[in-house]
Amino acid sequence: MAADPKQSETLRQIQQAFENAQSQMAQLRQQVEKHAELARAKTQHEFIQKEKERALRELGEAVLNQVRKGRLELPSTLAPLVKAVEQAEKKEEAQVREITDLLQEGEEAAQRLKEKNARGTHSGVAPRTKKL
């Protein structure tokens, strides 16, 4: 029995479409793997960058502590950086004082309200009586 030419052509087209889909899937898989590898590398770079920044910050703090203790003298070219750190510290201290003051004011207001509620709310007006 001879195969129907229309059916053979349809099968060939289906086979071709399937092969094209497989090829596209392989390309997509390759692109996804490449993007995943890039994402891993980027994440690792960010981690290393944060580690470096932490180490630099700790170094700077240690150097500044030694300068303040008089054990280390920095070149005059670094004086503006030391001054900038000192100014930032003063701003931070002022901010901490402001926050502390606000918290204290809040506590005082809460205490006054608590005392007021404990005394009762006497308005000086006699309570309304019910009519019988």
Side-chain angles (χ1 to χ4, degrees):
M1 228 188 236
D4 184 10
K6 280 187 174 180
Q7 193 174 19
S8 294
E9 180 61 23
T10 303
L11 284 174
R12 190 191 64 73
Q13 289 174 352
I14 291 172
Q15 182 66 31
Q16 182 65 38
F18 181 72
E19 289 171 3
N20 287 343
Q22 281 183 320
S23 174
Q24 288 176 350
M25 182 68 94
Q27 289 173 352
L28 285 173
R29 181 180 301 118
Q30 188 177 26
Q31 288 175 354
V32 167
E33 288 171 357
K34 196 123 181 110
H35 285 290
E37 184 179 339
L38 179 61
R40 279 191 299 274
K42 185 177 178 186
T43 300
Q44 186 176 17
H45 174 74
E46 289 171 356
F47 176 78
I48 292 169
Q49 186 69 26
K50 286 181 183 179
E51 189 176 327
K52 175 185 166 189
E53 289 170 3
R54 181 187 52 75
L56 284 170
R57 183 179 59 247
E58 289 176 1
L59 173 65
E61 289 173 356
V63 167
L64 188 59
N65 286 335
Q66 294 299 311
V67 168
R68 287 182 176 159
K69 291 177 182 178
R71 296 180 183 164
L72 182 64
E73 189 173 324
L74 294 177
S76 61
T77 57
L78 296 179
L81 295 175
V82 172
K83 189 163 185 86
V85 170
E86 290 170 349
Q87 288 175 346
E89 288 175 338
K90 287 178 184 177
K91 287 180 184 178
E92 181 184 32
E93 290 170 5
Q95 183 70 35
V96 167
R97 281 193 304 273
E98 183 180 345
I99 291 170
T100 301
D101 291 346
L102 289 171
L103 289 172
Q104 188 174 3
E105 287 175 17
E107 286 179 24
E108 291 170 359
Q111 186 63 33
R112 286 191 303 269
L113 184 61
K114 188 176 180 181
E115 290 171 1
K116 181 180 176 183
N117 287 338
R119 284 182 280 170
T121 53
H122 300 292
S123 64
V125 177
R128 211 160 94 180
T129 58
K130 293 183 181 178
K131 292 185 180 180
L132 297 175

